[in-house]
Amino acid sequence: MKKDSIFKKLTMGVCYYPEHWDEALWDSDLRRMKEAGIELVRIGEFAWTIFEPEEGVFSFDFFDRFIEAARRHGLRVILGTPTATPPAWASHDYPEILNADISGTLYRHGARRHYNYNSVKYLQLTREIVTQLTRHYGHNPVVAGWQIDNELNCELSEFYSESDTAAFRLFLRKKYGSLDALNRAWGAVFWNQTYTSWDQVFVPRHTINHTINPHQMLDYYRFISESACSYAKVQSDILRANISPDQFITTNGMFPNLDNHRMTRESLDFYTYDSYPDFAFQLTEDPLNSDTLGDRKWSRNLSETRCICPHFGIMEQQSGSPGWNTRMEAPAPKPGQMTLWTMQSIAHGADYVSYFRWRTSTMGTEIYWHGILDYCGKENRRLREVRQITQKFDAIRDIAGAMYRASFAFVKDYDNVWDSQLDVWVNRVNKASEKGWFNASQLTHTPMDYLYLQDGTTLDELLRYPLLVYPHAAILTQPRAELLRQYVEAGGKLILGCRTGYKSITGQCCMDPMPGPARDICGAEVEDFTFVGPADEPVHIVWEGTVLDGAVFNDILSPLDGAEVLGVFDSNYYQGKPGLIRKKLGKGEAYYFGAAFDSQAAAVFLKRLGLTEAFSAWVDAPSGCELAMREKEGKRWLFALNYGAHSEEIVLKVPMQEAFSGKVCTGTLTLPAYGTAVFLVPQL
Ligand code: GAL
């Protein structure tokens, strides 16, 4: 992965579907895009039949005309490989290319993403179309870069076709070598699942109560990720072989069951994310969907994107109200919100922002998924806002390549993400803590990075942060535990939470006392544990007089040699027993907290460790505003983002130039509703 940004300056783009409109509209559309400040147009990702109307018959005239028109208007394009939507002839003639649900029923033509990654025929068709496209456009200077497919694993991130079973068997044979090893890894002796021939092994299928073997499921998620990464690599290998080195390769995400780090490393020049913060305001009865942070929660997704790729792009930035004809009812973005969400993306590391989409479609599933322009295409407030955003871009163009400044990192890894998908209550613990830490980081202005532990993760990468929070790593391997120990010994602070270290890499439970390999690091052992049920009286952990919520699940602890008890439970049958233990190790210290972390608990940790209000030398802001900083070559851009429908006051402690207005400001400043400001921070 290239560390520097592909973009030399902050760049704006838009998604356009020339095939949806009369060609007579292209010229005025392109002219108006250019006028509005747009430089790149993403095209083609759903247009396979236009490129290949019949198997083996290729036609480039249509897109040649569009790309030439773009050139005339001084625009360049990002060309999508069109594999997210197989042509009707392919779906019809080769049903083996189709994905199936868990009962084996095929997903038929009529929507999108109905193919599977492992069909030999689909791979052949993919290679052919990508080869033809790259031969034709691989040296066209108007093509700035390529988007592989569209949103791999979106809509469906599980695959149950016959091709998938065949590929799953190969994956397992390579991984385990023998059925004995597979049976051991899957604990197949339990409920007599032992396999005696590879033909008996399938991707998960319809079972009683959906109680699929959890170890099989964990390997299945790994297999899906492997399939998606390999599919992206099939395309990127062809792209690399045929395109000019000036053209970049990307794809847009981010979706489940996919190791995005690996895919980016193997196949991309940079990663792009599709950001739709208006989802926060949709009509929903699902309480899990409601979040006190609303659209500000997208900063979490952007932070996760940043850990995949420090300088990323937004391939689709929301510009209108969302809604398929089958889902989603949400208000149109208010005046200012498009700017706010754009600045949110940039504050978190985006160097490219492309709006979805230029015009709202008059046909198909997305007639209610609004773009910048409405059906009629006449001038409107959203296009006016794009022009204003371009002026703001002009004031901060050189931010491209600047690094986000974080005060601590929240640690994750794919094994635990995938293992906990099936573990209902572990998932609950994880979700509570991820939300708790992120909300605390936002509300106390303590910027947070994500860090995914991977095989190649180095101690130096960990030591970039004074604090790591790795809340509930059920699967904790010896090498990962060792890395964490070295981090602490070298001076890092580590916070672990309940349910750490009790599973092996296969997802089976270990017989060592919990938290397994983390015991020696944090000096705690779990004596007893319980889910906190709805009928239980609320449990707290009292830490030097401060009452923290003992949320969701409790590990009742005892200290090992050299560790100190910092907090005790205040109720239930374990009242008075340790709930928070700390051990000093080498130059650092490790904490074990016997619960999930809500945002108040996380905020107390951040405060006691001296990390909150990271920008207080320059600005004080209410919790309703997000503060974020990017820095490069001694230059620092400090973003203040007001997500609220009311104005907020911030106080500048030193005179700073506000980039958009060019004015030097100091003292109290009002950010209007949905208002954004970027300050150029002087050296202290
Ligand atoms: C994205 C997708 C676009 C469009 C958009 C709005 O997920 O990449 O093609 O569907 O959502 O639904």
Side-chain angles (χ1 to χ4, degrees):
M1 185 179 72
K2 298 186 186 164
K3 284 269 181 265
D4 295 339
S5 180
I6 285 281
F7 293 91
K8 299 277 170 281
K9 62 180 179 52
L10 191 58
T11 304
M12 185 187 283
V14 80
C15 303
Y16 190 67
Y17 299 88
E19 67 276 25
H20 293 181
W21 311 101
D22 193 307
E23 279 194 43
L25 283 177
W26 290 357
D27 264 321
S28 66
D29 277 348
L30 290 164
R31 181 180 46 74
R32 292 166 79 200
M33 286 175 198
K34 178 78 184 172
E35 247 172 44
I38 285 162
E39 294 178 61
L40 287 174
V41 190
R42 197 265 319 254
I43 54 169
E45 79 276 15
F46 301 126
W48 192 335
T49 306
I50 296 177
F51 290 118
E52 191 178 1
E54 286 173 48
E55 187 174 359
V57 176
F58 296 92
S59 162
F60 301 106
D61 296 355
F62 181 88
F63 279 94
D64 282 354
R65 288 199 299 283
F66 181 78
I67 289 171
E68 172 52 23
R71 189 199 59 75
R72 279 199 309 276
H73 288 277
L75 292 159
R76 299 176 78 206
V77 303
I78 299 175
L79 192 54
T81 65
T83 48
T85 46
W89 55 257
S91 310
H92 180 264
D93 295 353
Y94 307 109
E96 76 256 37
I97 72 167
L98 302 176
N99 189 9
D101 68 11
I102 196 159
S103 314
T105 306
L106 295 181
Y107 289 105
R108 295 291 181 175
H109 200 81
R112 66 174 174 185
R113 301 213 57 77
H114 43 286
Y115 71 92
N116 70 72
Y117 299 127
N118 287 303
S119 149
V120 173
K121 183 70 199 177
Y122 202 64
L123 285 165
Q124 182 215 319
L125 293 171
T126 298
R127 285 195 184 94
E128 192 55 29
I129 184 69
V130 178
T131 302
Q132 294 288 338
L133 283 170
T134 52
R135 283 197 187 138
H136 192 81
Y137 293 114
H139 291 271
N140 185 326
V142 187
V143 178
W146 297 76
Q147 174 188 299
I148 292 176
D149 199 281
N150 186 72
E151 297 190 333
L152 295 164
N153 280 9
C154 178
E155 269 116 41
L156 282 175
S157 56
E158 297 190 2
F159 296 78
Y160 301 102
S161 72
E162 288 179 10
S163 312
D164 292 307
T165 284
F168 191 40
R169 285 180 191 150
L170 286 177
F171 168 86
L172 295 169
R173 283 191 135 169
K174 190 165 159 213
K175 177 163 183 176
Y176 293 112
S178 71
L179 276 176
D180 274 356
L182 174 84
N183 282 323
R184 272 197 306 279
W186 287 9
V189 68
F190 184 81
W191 283 357
N192 196 34
Q193 289 168 8
T194 305
Y195 297 96
T196 53
S197 151
W198 286 102
D199 298 343
Q200 298 157 2
V201 179
F202 286 83
V203 293
R205 289 189 297 174
H206 196 51
T207 49
I208 295 289
N209 286 340
H210 309 292
T211 50
I212 295 173
N213 177 321
H215 319 299
Q216 174 184 4
M217 211 56 201
L218 176 56
D219 268 343
Y220 172 68
Y221 291 136
R222 290 177 175 137
F223 160 74
I224 295 173
S225 172
E226 165 97 14
S227 302
C229 288
S230 307
Y231 186 69
K233 186 148 190 312
V234 163
Q235 299 207 20
S236 72
D237 283 350
I238 298 170
L239 287 160
R240 290 259 178 263
N242 293 335
I243 63 177
S244 125
D246 297 339
Q247 296 181 341
F248 59 73
I249 305 175
T250 184
T251 193
N252 50 346
M254 144 186 75
F255 298 94
N257 302 340
L258 208 170
D259 180 339
N260 284 292
H261 292 77
R262 172 181 162 188
M263 179 177 69
T264 304
R265 221 170 27 239
E266 286 179 352
S267 297
L268 311 180
D269 292 314
F270 67 102
Y271 186 83
T272 64
Y273 173 65
D274 293 344
S275 189
Y276 289 97
D278 207 39
F279 273 112
F281 306 118
Q282 68 183 305
L283 190 60
T284 174
E285 271 146 34
D286 175 4
L288 277 180
N289 247 334
S290 59
D291 195 296
T292 40
L293 284 192
D295 51 345
R296 189 170 168 185
K297 200 197 95 178
W298 263 251
S299 294
R300 192 173 76 66
N301 306 356
L302 292 159
S303 301
E304 203 150 1
T305 304
R306 186 174 63 242
C307 100
I308 298 166
C309 188
H311 308 294
F312 55 91
I314 302 295
M315 192 57 85
E316 301 178 13
Q317 176 78 61
Q318 182 141 30
S319 65
S321 58
W324 285 8
N325 55 354
T326 52
R327 64 176 167 104
M328 234 117 42
E329 292 161 295
K334 311 271 186 290
Q337 274 184 327
M338 217 202 302
T339 313
L340 171 68
W341 298 334
T342 302
M343 292 304 153
Q344 179 182 31
S345 294
I346 297 168
H348 280 277
D351 289 342
Y352 173 62
V353 179
S354 161
Y355 294 101
F356 186 84
R357 44 187 280 165
W358 176 249
R359 277 170 185 273
T360 308
S361 180
T362 58
M363 60 198 155
T365 302
E366 294 191 343
I367 47 180
Y368 307 120
W369 202 291
H370 295 79
I372 297 171
L373 299 177
D374 295 322
Y375 311 119
C376 64
K378 69 174 194 194
E379 173 76 13
N380 66 9
R381 71 166 167 92
R382 297 199 294 280
L383 182 55
R384 280 193 288 278
E385 192 163 331
V386 171
R387 287 197 202 98
Q388 287 160 9
I389 295 171
T390 294
Q391 286 173 7
K392 296 191 156 93
F393 271 37
D394 285 340
I396 55 169
R397 292 263 181 217
D398 56 337
I399 198 172
M403 295 294 288
Y404 182 87
R405 172 180 173 140
S407 298
F408 74 105
F410 185 95
V411 181
K412 285 172 92 167
D413 66 89
Y414 287 106
D415 294 309
N416 279 298
V417 170
W418 295 335
D419 186 62
S420 65
Q421 286 183 152
L422 206 65
D423 253 349
V424 177
W425 57 269
V426 178
N427 204 358
R428 199 185 287 275
V429 170
N430 284 341
K431 280 198 166 149
S433 291
E434 196 162 352
K435 179 171 162 181
W437 277 100
F438 187 72
N439 288 11
S441 96
Q442 281 286 315
L443 301 174
T444 63
H445 304 130
T446 320
M448 165 184 134
D449 270 351
Y450 276 93
L451 190 156
Y452 268 66
L453 280 187
Q454 301 167 83
D455 288 345
T457 304
T458 63
L459 184 58
D460 282 348
E461 286 171 63
L462 304 192
L463 285 169
R464 282 173 36 214
Y465 302 98
L467 168 68
L468 296 180
V469 181
Y470 193 21
H472 314 288
I475 296 176
L476 185 62
T477 59
Q478 277 297 350
R480 282 186 193 159
E482 187 46 36
L483 192 62
L484 295 174
R485 169 204 299 284
Q486 288 170 11
Y487 165 76
V488 176
E489 281 173 346
K493 294 189 169 69
L494 174 69
I495 298 176
L496 306 173
C498 69
R499 305 307 285 168
T500 292
Y502 68 98
K503 282 185 170 181
S504 73
I505 197 74
T506 62
Q508 294 187 29
C509 297
C510 306
M511 292 173 70
D512 291 339
M514 296 181 201
R519 266 187 319 154
D520 295 343
I521 304 175
C522 58
E525 193 164 288
V526 178
E527 275 195 3
D528 194 2
F529 51 84
T530 177
F531 188 75
V532 183
D536 283 320
E537 55 180 318
V539 185
H540 304 101
I541 295 172
V542 185
W543 179 11
E544 288 165 9
T546 305
V547 180
L548 309 181
D549 201 12
V552 193
F553 196 99
N554 292 153
D555 277 349
I556 297 113
L557 308 174
S558 61
L560 299 173
D561 275 357
E564 51 186 321
V565 173
L566 293 185
V568 292
F569 289 104
D570 73 344
S571 65
N572 218 322
Y573 61 89
Y574 39 93
Q575 185 176 19
K577 295 265 191 184
L580 173 62
I581 282 180
R582 175 177 62 188
K583 180 172 166 183
K584 298 196 167 161
L585 187 66
K587 295 189 201 142
E589 55 190 33
Y591 295 75
Y592 194 97
F593 184 67
F597 302 83
D598 71 356
S599 61
Q600 182 241 349
V604 168
F605 273 100
L606 289 174
K607 199 160 181 31
R608 291 205 168 163
L609 296 179
L611 295 172
T612 52
E613 301 301 338
F615 307 108
S616 60
W618 303 289
V619 62
D620 280 340
S623 59
C625 291
E626 177 173 7
L627 296 177
M629 186 181 276
R630 287 181 67 180
E631 43 195 356
K632 177 175 89 173
E633 294 155 11
K635 257 189 111 166
R636 286 173 290 188
W637 294 260
L638 176 58
F639 289 72
L641 310 172
N642 177 13
Y643 294 85
H646 304 286
S647 60
E648 293 274 16
E649 287 189 345
I650 59 176
V651 180
L652 302 190
K653 301 208 179 138
V654 291
M656 290 191 283
Q657 189 185 8
E658 198 284 311
F660 301 153
S661 63
K663 287 193 190 131
V664 175
C665 313
T666 187
T668 303
L669 213 82
T670 302
L671 272 184
Y674 314 119
T676 58
V678 178
F679 302 100
L680 305 174
V681 178
Q683 299 291 343
L684 276 183

